[in-house]
């Protein structure tokens, strides 16, 4: 009789565990969190102090765009050019919504040979490091960001 009670208890415990496990698998299988988001923004023509978000891509919807943009940002080369920090052609932000963190805060100026990218390295835009990318990478940023010549 004691063995039957132990086996019954074990059977109930295993049954509860398995029902909880499979319920979790079925209800949470399609739930994924965005880990990276790339935002392309521009200064408003009507409101000069306003920055308008033009396009936004997440790693769940557009993994290739997020990866390619991150690769461009990681492989840019240092530049000696200094640009007008208040008048970029495009703003690029890379965020980690999962961690509630901004990873990249950049301003972009398109040139004949590609683009110059200014990265904020301090608390404000008083501290900026400049980099350059080639024409192919600049064209990719233009295309994904919906850039139109002003």
């Amino acid at each position: 009789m004691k063995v039957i009670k132990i086996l019954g208890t074990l059977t109930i415990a295993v049954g509860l565990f398995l029902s909880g496990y499979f319920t979790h698998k079925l209800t949470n299988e399609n739930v994924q969190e965005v880990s990276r988001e790339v935002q392309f923004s521009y200064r408003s023509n009507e409101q000069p102090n306003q920055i308008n978000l033009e396009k936004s891509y997440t790693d769940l919807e557009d993994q290739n765009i997020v990866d390619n943009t991150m690769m461009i940002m990681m492989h840019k080369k240092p530049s000696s050019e200094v640009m007008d920090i208040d008048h970029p052609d495009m703003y690029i932000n890379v965020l980690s919504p999962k961690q509630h963190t901004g990873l990249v805060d950049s301003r972009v100026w398109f040139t004949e040979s590609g683009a110059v990218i200014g990265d904020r390295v301090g608390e404000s835009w008083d501290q900026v490091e400049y980099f350059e990318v080639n024409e192919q990478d600049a064209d990719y940023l233009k295309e994904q960001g919906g850039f139109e010549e002003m």
Side-chain angles (χ1 to χ4, degrees):
M1 196 61 145
K2 198 175 190 182
V3 173
I4 293 174
K5 285 183 181 180
I6 292 173
L7 286 176
T9 304
L10 281 174
T11 303
I12 291 172
V14 168
L16 284 173
F17 171 78
L18 290 175
S19 66
Y21 175 78
F22 286 114
T23 300
H24 173 75
K25 287 292 270 184
L26 291 173
T27 58
N28 292 322
E29 189 170 319
N30 293 326
V31 176
Q32 296 178 346
E33 283 187 72
V34 172
S35 64
R36 295 288 180 270
E37 179 179 4
V38 177
Q39 298 177 338
F40 295 92
S41 305
Y42 300 95
R43 186 173 302 278
S44 170
N45 290 331
E46 295 82 35
Q47 302 287 328
N49 293 328
Q50 178 178 316
I51 308 299
N52 295 332
L53 176 63
E54 179 70 24
K55 292 196 175 186
S56 178
Y57 302 99
T58 67
D59 58 345
L60 292 182
E61 300 163 350
D62 298 294
Q63 182 73 50
N64 287 337
I65 294 172
V66 172
D67 288 348
N68 289 339
T69 303
M70 289 295 296
M71 292 304 289
I72 290 170
M73 301 307 271
M74 287 172 40
H75 292 100
K76 58 191 186 262
K77 306 222 181 315
S79 175
S80 59
E81 290 205 47
V82 175
M83 307 303 279
D84 180 1
I85 201 66
D86 294 323
H87 296 93
D89 295 321
M90 175 189 291
Y91 298 81
I92 298 177
N93 292 306
V94 180
L95 309 171
S96 174
K98 192 175 187 179
Q99 300 296 322
H100 308 288
T101 305
L103 303 174
V104 175
D105 189 6
S106 298
R107 295 180 181 183
V108 180
W109 297 264
F110 295 109
T111 65
E112 290 180 9
S113 60
V116 174
I117 298 175
D119 285 346
R120 182 175 56 89
V121 293
E123 292 292 320
S124 70
W125 280 95
D126 294 335
Q127 296 174 315
V128 180
E129 288 183 2
Y130 292 97
F131 301 89
E132 55 188 45
V133 296
N134 62 34
E135 191 173 355
Q136 180 181 359
D137 289 344
D139 288 344
Y140 183 83
L141 294 175
K142 285 180 182 180
E143 179 183 342
Q144 300 314 316
F147 179 77
E148 295 178 13
E149 300 279 337
M150 304 293 171

